Amino acid sequence: MCIRDRYEKVAMRREIAPNIIFYSAMLEALIQCERYDLIMDVYEKIKKENSKYIQPNTITYVTMLKGLCKAQCIDQAFKLYKMIKEEKAFAMKEAIYTTMMCGCYTIGKLNECEEVYNCLLYTSDAADDLLCVDLGGRRIIKKKKT
C-alpha cells in the first residue's frame, strides 16, 4: 500500500484526528519515499482544513521546501517561499531561509541562493533584531541598515 493510500485511509476513518503534526509527518514520509509529486496535494489538504488548529508552521514549511528542492522543483519551491513571505500571520524563521539556500546550492542554482541570502540579511523577520544570523553553524554578520 502506498503512502498516499495509507494517508487517505487514516484520514477517512479518522483513526488519528489530523493536526499539523500529522500533516508534517506525512510530508516527511512522502519525502523519505521520494513521492515529491504529492507534497503540494498534502499542502492543499492542510489549507482546506481551514482551522485555527491546523495552520502550517515552520516545520511544515521547511519540510515542504526541503522536499521540493530535493525533487529539483526549484520554481515550485520559490513559489511557496514567496507565498510564505507574503503571509502576514507567519514570521519567517532562519530555518526557512537556510532550507532554501541549501536547496538552491545543492542543485547549482547559485543566483537563487544569493537572492535568498540577501533577503535574509536585509529584509528578514528572522534577523531583524540580531546583529548576526546563525546558518547551520556559520555566523553571518548583518550589515547595519543606513
Side-chain angles (χ1 to χ4, degrees), residues 25-80:
M26 180 58 58
L27 288 164
E28 187 62 43
L30 290 171
I31 292 167
Q32 294 297 322
C33 295
E34 298 182 357
R35 293 300 314 266
Y36 308 115
D37 56 315
L38 300 177
I39 290 172
M40 294 310 289
D41 290 348
V42 173
Y43 181 68
E44 291 303 319
K45 286 191 183 293
I46 293 169
K47 286 300 197 181
K48 280 184 187 175
E49 290 285 337
N50 200 17
S51 163
K52 67 179 181 180
Y53 301 109
I54 303 178
Q55 292 297 316
N57 59 24
T58 302
I59 295 168
T60 310
Y61 286 132
V62 165
T63 304
M64 291 176 63
L65 290 169
K66 179 177 69 172
L68 292 170
C69 289
K70 272 183 108 172
Q72 297 189 6
C73 298
I74 201 68
D75 291 337
Q76 259 190 311
F78 259 95
K79 184 177 176 183
L80 178 62

Side-chain angles (χ1 to χ4, degrees), residues 11 27 35 78 85 114 129 138:
L27 288 164
R35 293 300 314 266
F78 259 95
K85 282 178 54 178
E114 185 176 10
D129 297 330
R138 293 189 174 121

Side-chain angles (χ1 to χ4, degrees), residues 57-59 62 81 84 90-99 120 124-127 135:
N57 59 24
T58 302
I59 295 168
V62 165
Y81 165 76
I84 297 166
F90 188 79
M92 293 288 282
K93 304 284 190 242
E94 290 173 19
I96 292 172
Y97 293 104
T98 306
T99 301
L120 171 64
S124 78
D125 293 338
L135 294 177

Side-chain angles (χ1 to χ4, degrees), residues 106-120:
T106 300
I107 62 173
K109 299 285 188 176
L110 301 181
N111 289 336
E112 288 84 348
C113 183
E114 185 176 10
E115 178 185 330
V116 175
Y117 172 77
N118 288 331
C119 186
L120 171 64

